[in-house]
Amino acid sequence: MDRKTYDLLHGIPDHADYAAEAGELDAEDIPQERMTAVLDLLRNSDDDVVRFEAAKLLTSWGIFEGLVALSESMEKP
């Protein structure tokens, strides 16, 4: 996983000292560009780990598409 992808999936802004991980960010601390980039990872990454991490993060942010992806990944053997 490259640095840019890692930062998208795990980065926490300096001012968000309340969050221990990216999934704990408040909506106002998640720029639309980041949300779009994480959705793009979920939809287009060739890496199963990246897609799983993106789905998990999106689910924690309340994005239904992330939950659907997590559910589908649990159904596959």
Side-chain angles (χ1 to χ4, degrees):
M1 178 181 314
D2 63 31
R3 184 67 184 174
K4 180 181 176 185
T5 301
Y6 183 86
D7 287 344
L8 280 171
L9 296 173
H10 301 285
I12 300 170
D14 290 336
H15 67 276
D17 58 355
Y18 60 87
E21 59 184 48
E24 297 175 352
L25 291 172
D26 291 338
E28 62 268 7
D29 291 324
I30 308 166
Q32 184 60 46
E33 298 83 26
R34 182 176 184 180
M35 184 83 63
T36 300
V38 175
L39 279 165
D40 185 57
L41 289 174
L42 175 66
R43 295 172 182 156
N44 300 312
S45 178
D46 294 330
D47 186 332
D48 290 340
V49 173
V50 169
R51 283 195 315 273
F52 176 77
E53 293 280 334
K56 187 173 77 167
L57 182 58
L58 290 165
T59 299
S60 68
W61 288 347
I63 305 302
F64 186 69
E65 189 172 343
L67 180 60
V68 170
L70 281 179
S71 296
E72 289 173 355
S73 72
M74 300 298 259
E75 293 173 0
K76 296 177 186 174

